[in-house]
Amino acid sequence: MSAADTIDTNDLSNTAMEKDASGHKTIILLIRVFAVSIITIMLLFLINNYLNLWWQWPGLPSLFSHYGWFGLEALRTPLEGGQIMKGWLQLLSYIGAVALAGLYVFWTHKRPLRADAALLSRFAAYIIRTAFWIVLMIGLVDILISFLRVENLLASLVGDNLTEALGRPHFRGMYVHFPLILLSFVIAWFNKSLGFTWLAFLVVLAEFQIVISRFVFSYEQPFMGDLVRFWYAALFLFASAYTLAHEGHVRVDVLYSRFRKRSKAWSNTVGTLLLGLPLGWIILVTGMWDKTSSINSPIYSFEVSQSGYGLYVKYLMVGFLAVYAVSMIIQFSSYLLDKVADLRQEPGGDQLAGKS
């Protein structure tokens, strides 16, 4: 055998290593595309839900029913030309969302997983900060309006016509609550020093003022209890993503604490894919499937409690579920990338070298 016929085993091993590295890199890119696609699809879902609810766009269910796809029952009144076009635009928007995620990952193929995880975590934190300012400002403004109404002081300040208008849920929602919501997005962008201890403190203060006014001044109104429930529900639901990011949730198990670091990373990855992300999507889809769904219906009708002069925030409390689902989906996507980064031994997280 000549020297030219000799097989270089070093070249074979290098080729195999290069193929493994290439395949591994492809898997990582697909994981990034998956995580980013979840966020883009979720944002498109919320935008399309707004279009369906407030602008009467058909939505994907109606489009699929129109064509009889996926075994859905045909519509009683078929969609017309303009509605069909809008339905196709909504369908193509979801395809575009996935394509956009793929382009982002392609352009940033050298970006570490932890960088995307940190970006998504900051996004979730921004949503929660915004929600905090929303419930703070709306709670204070609404309780002031309700107090002035019940004491017959509002008319002397704003006039009879505006007083009557503020007694209508739709008017108060559109012209009082919604501007405060937009303002909250701006404040949350510049103010990043939110601590959930403040919201807990506000709940305590709200309860304390009920005790003082009831037992010292013998004064009690429905809006006082509404404020406590409004802030307490916000504290419970908005803090979930924040707690997840800081590993603060209580794990009710007897196995996880005994796992090695690599086993914990695998457990968190699988749990995120099978439990965390599906839970958030189930809440969004079931609550926003159509106008009669559990989240959409109260928001669309500006539902309020039946207690005469209470706060007009019941529809917002239903919306807390959507905020909870959105923030948890974003944070779980960040969590997924972070745990995969742990498995890959990326710097900045748990170092799993030598751990089984």
Side-chain angles (χ1 to χ4, degrees), residues 108-345:
T108 61
H109 61 277
K110 294 183 179 180
R111 185 178 174 88
L113 288 172
R114 293 200 197 281
D116 280 340
L119 177 63
L120 294 180
S121 188
R122 290 195 298 270
F123 186 26
Y126 170 67
I127 291 175
I128 297 304
R129 287 198 308 272
T130 301
F132 168 80
W133 287 106
I134 288 173
V135 298
L136 173 63
M137 293 194 296
I138 289 181
L140 294 177
V141 171
D142 223 58
I143 197 172
L144 177 61
I145 293 174
S146 295
F147 172 76
L148 293 175
R149 282 187 70 224
V150 76
E151 297 299 330
N152 295 319
L153 299 173
L154 191 59
S156 61
L157 295 175
V158 299
D160 293 334
N161 292 334
L162 186 55
T163 297
E164 182 181 355
L166 288 171
R168 296 195 294 267
H170 185 273
F171 182 90
R172 195 185 297 194
M174 291 292 295
Y175 297 102
V176 177
H177 296 168
F178 285 5
L180 291 176
I181 290 174
L182 294 177
L183 179 60
S184 297
F185 276 97
V186 177
I187 294 175
W189 181 262
F190 293 101
N191 190 323
K192 298 179 173 60
S193 59
L194 170 63
F196 280 96
T197 51
W198 286 107
L199 190 52
F201 180 64
L202 289 173
V203 173
V204 173
L205 283 182
E207 191 66 55
F208 179 71
Q209 61 92 16
I210 290 178
V211 173
I212 295 299
S213 62
R214 177 190 296 175
F215 294 104
V216 176
F217 300 102
S218 299
Y219 181 86
E220 184 176 9
Q221 296 293 342
F223 57 77
M224 299 164 68
D226 289 345
L227 183 64
V228 173
R229 288 187 288 271
F230 185 56
W231 280 347
Y232 184 78
L235 174 65
F236 179 79
L237 291 173
F238 296 168
S240 295
Y242 176 87
T243 308
L244 176 64
H246 291 80
E247 294 283 353
H249 285 284
V250 177
R251 297 178 182 270
V252 186
D253 63 64
V254 295
L255 299 176
Y256 183 83
S257 59
R258 301 175 183 273
F259 287 171
R260 296 178 182 271
K261 288 185 177 181
R262 183 171 294 276
S263 299
K264 287 183 177 180
W266 273 112
S267 174
N268 289 326
T269 300
V270 174
T272 296
L273 291 172
L274 298 183
L275 298 174
L277 290 173
L279 173 63
W281 276 107
I282 288 172
I283 293 173
L284 278 185
V285 173
T286 57
M288 296 183 165
W289 186 252
D290 55 34
K291 287 185 178 180
T292 62
S293 297
S294 57
I295 295 177
N296 278 345
S297 178
I299 293 177
Y300 185 69
S301 62
F302 291 93
E303 183 177 341
V304 298
S305 62
Q306 299 301 315
S307 54
Y309 288 94
L311 298 187
Y312 285 22
V313 296
K314 187 175 181 180
Y315 74 99
L316 291 174
M317 294 176 69
V318 176
F320 289 176
L321 289 173
V323 175
Y324 167 81
V326 167
S327 61
M328 291 297 280
I329 287 173
I330 297 172
Q331 189 56 52
F332 268 121
S333 299
S334 169
Y335 201 59
L336 172 66
L337 293 175
D338 193 54
K339 296 309 171 184
V340 173
D342 284 345
L343 294 172
R344 292 190 65 241
Q345 295 295 296

